[in-house]
Amino acid sequence: MSVEQYRPSEDVKIKQSTTLETPVKVLTSQQDMNTQQGAKIGFVSLGCPKNLVDSERILTQLRTEGYDVVPTYHDAELVIVNTCGFIDSAVQESLDTIGEALAENGKVIVTGCLGVKEDEIREVHPNVLSITGPHAYESVVAQVHEHLPKPKHNPFLHLVPDHGIKLTPKHFAYLKISEGCNHRCTFCIIPSMRGDLVSRPIGEVLSEAKRLKAAGVNELLVISQDTSAYGVDVKYKTGFWDGMPVKTHMQQLCEQLGNMDMWVRLHYVYPYPHVDDLIPLMAEGKILPYLDIPFQHANKRILRLMKRPGSAERTVERIQKWRETCPDLVIRSTFIVGFPGETEEEFEELLTFLKEAQLDRVGCFKYSPVEGARANDLPDPVSEEVKEQRLKRFMQVQSEISYQRLQAKIGNEYNVIVDSVDSEGAIARSFGEAPEIDGVIHINDVHDLSVGQRLWVEIIHTGEHDMWAVPSADQD
């Protein structure tokens, strides 16, 4: 059970949000990390890509010190559970997983977002060895030292690659550029778990990207709690990389990443004014023409209650301008229906916005109270029955939009990257599909492809979320 990562099943994927992640359990064995020579660690990673990066950092340090990561509870001498604690279902999943690890192994260290609620964890599982909060790398490693002393480490036998331990396939990787968030959205408790925004030095980020490129990664997924805010906390100070000055700013970061000959995909982008300056980079092919922007709603009053920026009219106008500059632009977003006080008229305004904005990829959640969120105290809660009805109506409208937008791609050719190959053929993605959260492109009955390979394909059929394609005759 070396690394257990939660991913959405097919029926959940439609509702998957990039800001309200609901983990679903899938066991992923990392046999290549198991050398069977050092003290043996089991590792379970839950939640969002930001958490996954935290897991990678912890595992990299442990492997550097000679610990082995093993694929089963019974082979492990100690188990680390990196928890998610954003929404109620994630909290329950984390508590259940801690209980499973205790039952199967008995020695468990807990870290991650739920770790900020130590009393809640210990009330259910008093026998865990230790509990720490998110991105507490040094504390986790110190707890491992206390309960499972460092093995005798021979650096020539226990080599760790320059890019560290990765929990994603070799051909793509998450690049986390900051921790925390300065927003105080009323439905969210992330700042209370991860703190305010702290941007990584730009030289450090670009050096990590360069190491990943050298390791064979050809798609970078740039992530943080608020990617657009990168550098705000340090007043966009000038750093240095490869001997040249570079500002700690999203645009300059993207410009430098765009020179590395990799796909660069932006996630969790708040629609600040300077996002407009990224669209020309997409039109020029520097970064992928893909924006993941969690709009959350369209009605001005509901957005104010959420403590979110924007309004439907301005957002539609900006989207139109972006598409004028970059016609290929794909926009993914997430929304919440049934927020406290949402009226039928305000929900209808959201549906109208969907029809006008014509977003490519959309996820939706019913509002769910999260312990500690200020939205819980708002008046006029929406009933579960009405929430469910609105969710179905929302997804029906968006499914029709998605189907029509995908239909328009039939006959077009796209450069794709292969994610997997099996007996039925290959599964791939173009610039318009992010891994795990968007649809895929099926290339059936083609078996001479390899994971990570790029090729040109022609779209021949589409559904509401996925597409089907054949290799193009001219691969040049």
Side-chain angles (χ1 to χ4, degrees), residues 170-217:
K170 183 178 179 181
H171 60 285
F172 71 82
Y174 295 103
L175 181 68
K176 184 156 68 169
I177 63 175
S178 65
E179 294 283 2
C181 181
N182 289 341
H183 292 284
R184 296 297 182 264
C185 302
T186 58
F187 55 80
C188 179
I189 58 172
I190 289 297
S192 66
M193 294 179 172
R194 291 184 172 264
D196 290 336
L197 176 75
V198 179
S199 299
R200 293 178 63 193
I202 192 162
E204 180 183 307
V205 173
L206 291 171
S207 293
E208 180 179 348
K210 187 175 181 179
R211 291 194 300 271
L212 290 169
K213 167 69 176 178
V217 169

Side-chain angles (χ1 to χ4, degrees), residues 105-253:
N105 182 275
K107 297 179 69 176
V108 177
I109 289 175
V110 175
T111 188
C113 289
L114 188 59
V116 300
K117 301 179 180 180
E118 181 171 355
D119 292 344
E120 182 175 334
I121 296 173
R122 289 203 179 275
E123 182 179 349
V124 181
H125 302 300
N127 296 326
V128 295
L129 298 177
S130 66
I131 299 173
T132 59
H135 52 85
Y137 317 121
E138 294 180 359
S139 297
V140 175
V141 173
Q143 289 297 327
V144 172
H145 293 165
E146 180 178 338
H147 298 285
L148 188 60
K150 284 186 185 180
K152 293 180 180 180
H153 178 49
N154 183 336
F156 296 102
L157 295 178
H158 297 269
L159 295 177
V160 174
D162 288 342
H163 60 278
I165 300 299
K166 307 305 293 181
L167 302 181
T168 52
K170 183 178 179 181
H171 60 285
F172 71 82
Y174 295 103
L175 181 68
K176 184 156 68 169
I177 63 175
S178 65
E179 294 283 2
C181 181
N182 289 341
H183 292 284
R184 296 297 182 264
C185 302
T186 58
F187 55 80
C188 179
I189 58 172
I190 289 297
S192 66
M193 294 179 172
R194 291 184 172 264
D196 290 336
L197 176 75
V198 179
S199 299
R200 293 178 63 193
I202 192 162
E204 180 183 307
V205 173
L206 291 171
S207 293
E208 180 179 348
K210 187 175 181 179
R211 291 194 300 271
L212 290 169
K213 167 69 176 178
V217 169
N218 55 26
E219 180 180 6
L220 285 178
L221 298 102
V222 179
I223 60 169
S224 64
Q225 298 299 333
D226 179 2
T227 298
S228 308
Y230 179 64
V232 167
D233 55 313
V234 295
K235 299 180 180 179
Y236 306 119
K237 75 175 183 180
T238 299
F240 290 88
W241 183 67
D242 273 4
M244 61 181 180
V246 186
K247 280 190 175 182
T248 310
H249 188 276
M250 186 183 185
Q251 182 178 352
Q252 292 205 18
L253 172 65

